[in-house]
Amino acid sequence: DSGVTQTPKHLITATGQRVTLRCSPRSGDLSVYWYQQSLDQGLQFLIQYYNGEERAKGNILERFSAQQFPDLHSELNLSSLELGDSALYFCASSGFGGEGQPQHFGDGTRLSIL
Amino acid sequence: GQQVMQIPQYQHVQEGEDFTTYCNSSTTLSNIQWYKQRPGGHPVFLIQLVKSGEVKKQKRLTFQFGEAKKNSSLHITATQTTDVGTYFCAGPSGNTGKLIFGQGTTLQVKP
């Protein structure tokens, strides 16, 4: 058990809809990272938050947004969903936002767009 | 932009054979991390290498960081079915903690 909790585990929805994925980091971790993993693809970095502030951004689509709340949990919002958004979305956390910290991953949310 | 590449993408071995995956970065890295993702699971941190030429061992796994700190390798001796999964290397991008992951090498082990 990594200590990182992601909900829901599975999400099935239709094109054009909006969903929210939730992540609770390990106790004491201040930094949260979001990744997208498509079939047979690696881990594509989306965005990082540190103690409530956006810290780094990857190739995150404009239709996607995220935030980190005062209790340090984070949410990833995906809107105007397209078939190509079907993927496994992972959240990871680390102690602080600096270099060299191992990241601890949650079990992921599998998003299926019909 | 910064890229981290891994080869091979897939490797099928007979149980007991050795396995190696190679990781190459387009830029010099301050450190490199390795993760393992079992089928249906999430990536799990294995190890971090920091020094040029560093070699670290975990039982049958040997990790190496290149002298120029632009490449790394993971070697598994005498593979077992429990080694099945995808192995990712990852290097830092900037000093925020953000990691760039390689595409991974998926290892299949035939018993």
Side-chain angles (χ1 to χ4, degrees):
Chain A
D1 181 16
S2 68
V4 178
T5 304
Q6 285 189 250
T7 57
K9 291 196 183 306
H10 302 277
L11 205 44
I12 302 173
T13 189
T15 55
Q17 295 299 304
R18 173 189 170 94
V19 297
T20 298
L21 313 184
R22 183 187 167 102
C23 169
S24 293
R26 278 192 330 163
S27 176
D29 282 358
L30 299 176
S31 214
V32 169
Y33 311 81
W34 286 97
Y35 294 89
Q36 180 190 58
Q37 186 174 47
S38 303
L39 198 63
D40 288 338
Q41 293 291 311
L43 292 155
Q44 301 299 316
F45 171 75
L46 295 177
I47 199 162
Q48 175 197 3
Y49 277 81
Y50 172 72
N51 205 20
E53 300 287 328
E54 183 183 303
R55 190 73 180 254
K57 222 167 180 176
N59 294 327
I60 186 167
L61 299 171
E62 284 192 13
R63 300 183 286 109
F64 296 1
S65 66
Q67 54 184 327
Q68 185 179 28
F69 294 87
D71 66 353
L72 300 178
H73 91 270
S74 178
E75 291 181 357
L76 179 66
N77 300 295
L78 315 176
S79 62
S80 302
L81 287 168
E82 301 175 0
L83 293 176
D85 298 327
S86 294
L88 195 47
Y89 291 84
F90 284 110
C91 164
S93 72
S94 68
F96 58 90
E99 205 179 298
Q101 289 281 295
Q103 294 184 12
H104 303 272
F105 285 75
D107 290 338
T109 293
R110 183 168 296 281
L111 176 64
S112 299
I113 313 299
L114 303 179
Chain B
Q2 180 185 1
Q3 286 187 312
V4 176
M5 294 148 286
Q6 270 184 268
I7 56 169
Q9 188 174 359
Y10 298 98
Q11 184 84 56
H12 296 253
V13 300
Q14 199 73 38
E15 189 172 21
E17 291 181 340
D18 291 357
F19 159 78
T20 304
T21 173
Y22 300 91
C23 177
N24 289 286
S25 170
S26 59
T27 60
T28 301
L29 301 171
S30 59
N31 67 82
I32 193 155
Q33 298 180 15
W34 285 90
Y35 291 77
K36 177 183 178 180
Q37 183 176 17
R38 293 183 187 273
H42 59 267
V44 174
F45 172 77
L46 293 176
I47 206 161
Q48 178 175 269
L49 305 171
V50 178
K51 298 177 185 174
S52 168
E54 188 171 14
V55 178
K56 284 188 176 180
K57 292 191 175 185
Q58 288 181 350
K59 296 183 181 177
R60 294 177 294 103
L61 277 60
T62 301
F63 302 84
Q64 188 164 5
F65 201 9
E67 294 289 341
K69 300 183 80 173
K70 293 184 73 174
N71 58 76
S72 181
S73 65
L74 158 59
H75 179 82
I76 302 179
T77 304
T79 54
Q80 299 176 359
T81 54
T82 53
D83 296 324
V84 163
T86 301
Y87 293 85
F88 293 98
C89 63
S93 176
N95 62 356
T96 66
K98 171 185 171 182
L99 292 173
I100 301 296
F101 281 79
Q103 287 297 94
T105 296
T106 298
L107 172 64
Q108 298 273 22
V109 179
K110 287 181 267 188

